[in-house]
Amino acid sequence: MRSTNISELYFLFLPKIYGMILVNNIAQDSAGFSEKILENGLSIYEVIRIFNKKPIFLQDNLLRLDNSLKKSNIHLDLKTLHLPDKLERLIYLENMEEGNVKYVLHFTNGQMTEYLYTIPHSYPSAEAYQKGVDTMTCQAVRQNPEVKYLNPALRHLTNQLIHDNHVYEVILVDDEGYITEGSRSNVFFIRQNTLYTTPTAYVLPGTSRKRVFDICKTENIHLEEKRIEQTTLAEYEAAFITGTSPLLLPIRRIDSTFFHPEHPLLRRLMNCYFALLEKTD
């Protein structure tokens, strides 16, 4: 694969809309499908990033899916689901270059139904990666945070806040006043060349979050898992979120607290992260 700089990679992540869905691996037109049917019972899911016609960091998604199932007391051997093969099929059917795919295991009335489909996505612009994005806080708690399950009430609340306040993401604050995670991302802070993030027990451990942990080990970057009080945000020099769509994205502002998107350690982490994407080819 030819050398690609970060700016070029940003522009490769352009939104597309697709129209197929696999239900129990049977291809259907998604025109009549609504996620409303997934709100009854339990729906455990993963969002998988497709890049250059391939899922990136898929093994991390599978590990998290397995953890979500175990935490929900569901005994299921993921190998029997053959998810990599189904992803390959959907990518072929959609002739998909880049985008997000949602995989849902829906449990209701003693039965499991499997859904695999593309979802709308909004990837950050090159300017957002350079200047950072605006965010806001909201006091809200996700129950059983280590399980990735559909939570329509929280998603509706945060979507409305994002729309009404013209911010990129909502940062959740628990009842004790501690930062936990973004509504669809994990959040990190930098102070004196040390990286801080909320302990795993309080958040959904995202696949991009894990990638940052791996980079810190490889690059000998000091990382601490620590509960961060909302009232101490001004003590940190830089902040960023990680997730399937944003990947690793600087934060410019949380509420009225401003950060430094050009912080050297943050830029070093971004370079390392995007270099990993080139290796997925």
Side-chain angles (χ1 to χ4, degrees):
M1 181 177 179
R2 72 175 179 85
S3 177
T4 307
N5 63 40
I6 290 179
S7 294
E8 288 176 318
L9 282 170
Y10 296 153
F11 285 111
L12 286 174
F13 304 138
L14 298 175
K16 296 181 180 180
I17 299 175
Y18 304 93
M20 297 294 295
I21 182 171
L22 299 183
V23 181
N24 293 330
N25 206 30
I26 298 173
Q28 302 177 11
D29 190 319
S30 64
F33 172 74
S34 169
E35 288 192 326
K36 288 279 187 185
I37 67 172
L38 304 176
E39 294 179 6
N40 294 321
L42 174 66
S43 292
I44 294 175
Y45 74 100
E46 284 291 320
V47 175
I48 301 160
R49 183 73 174 263
I50 307 301
F51 178 66
N52 285 344
K53 294 189 175 184
K54 295 180 181 178
I56 61 173
F57 311 139
L58 177 58
Q59 190 57 37
D60 291 336
N61 287 105
L62 292 172
L63 288 171
R64 186 170 63 181
L65 180 61
D66 187 56
N67 180 69
S68 292
L69 290 167
K70 288 177 178 176
K71 294 283 185 179
S72 303
N73 294 316
I74 296 171
H75 305 287
L76 182 62
D77 184 355
L78 289 186
K79 293 180 181 179
T80 65
L81 299 177
H82 304 289
L83 179 55
D85 294 336
K86 292 167 183 172
L87 279 168
E88 184 177 353
R89 183 183 180 203
L90 185 65
I91 291 167
Y92 172 78
L93 289 171
E94 299 285 18
N95 191 25
M96 190 177 184
E97 293 281 348
E98 281 87 32
N100 290 353
V101 170
K102 194 166 189 175
Y103 181 67
V104 184
L105 295 175
H106 183 219
F107 300 90
T108 183
N109 298 325
Q111 294 185 330
M112 181 187 82
T113 307
E114 184 184 29
Y115 297 89
L116 184 65
Y117 53 98
T118 57
I119 57 175
H121 53 272
S122 177
Y123 297 146
S125 65
E127 181 180 12
Y129 282 105
Q130 292 300 322
K131 297 183 178 180
V133 294
D134 292 340
T135 68
M136 66 176 292
T137 57
C138 171
Q139 186 169 4
V141 178
R142 286 198 323 109
Q143 302 300 321
N144 201 2
E146 292 184 75
V147 177
K148 193 172 179 69
Y149 63 96
L150 291 182
N151 188 338
L154 180 59
R155 179 52 55 89
H156 176 76
L157 170 63
T158 55
N159 283 347
Q160 193 67 49
L161 288 171
I162 288 169
H163 176 269
D164 292 347
N165 294 277
H166 307 289
V167 294
Y168 183 85
E169 174 64 303
V170 170
I171 307 299
L172 305 183
V173 179
D174 68 19
D175 295 336
E176 298 177 88
Y178 289 99
I179 298 290
T180 55
E181 58 194 336
S183 68
R184 63 198 78 196
S185 65
N186 292 115
V187 60
F188 291 80
F189 297 90
I190 297 173
R191 184 174 63 193
Q192 297 180 347
N193 286 319
T194 295
L195 204 57
Y196 296 91
T197 193
T198 305
T200 302
Y202 297 92
V203 302
L204 178 69
T207 58
S208 292
R209 178 182 185 269
K210 179 182 181 299
R211 200 59 48 186
V212 172
F213 275 55
D214 292 343
I215 290 170
C216 287
K217 289 180 182 178
T218 302
E219 298 292 319
N220 294 316
I221 296 170
H222 189 210
L223 183 152
E224 290 186 19
E225 291 188 77
K226 172 187 174 182
R227 298 185 75 192
I228 296 171
E229 292 182 76
Q230 182 183 7
T231 55
T232 67
L233 288 181
E235 299 176 8
Y236 296 87
E237 302 153 18
F240 62 91
I241 58 174
T242 59
T244 301
S245 290
L247 300 177
L248 195 162
L249 180 64
I251 293 175
R252 188 181 79 97
R253 174 177 65 85
I254 301 178
D255 294 333
S256 60
T257 301
F258 285 82
F259 300 94
H260 302 292
E262 296 287 347
H263 191 285
L265 179 55
L266 173 51
R267 290 292 146 179
R268 180 183 172 193
L269 288 164
M270 291 179 71
N271 282 324
C272 291
Y273 190 103
F274 283 93
L276 291 175
L277 290 185
E278 297 187 64
K279 297 177 182 179
T280 62
D281 190 27

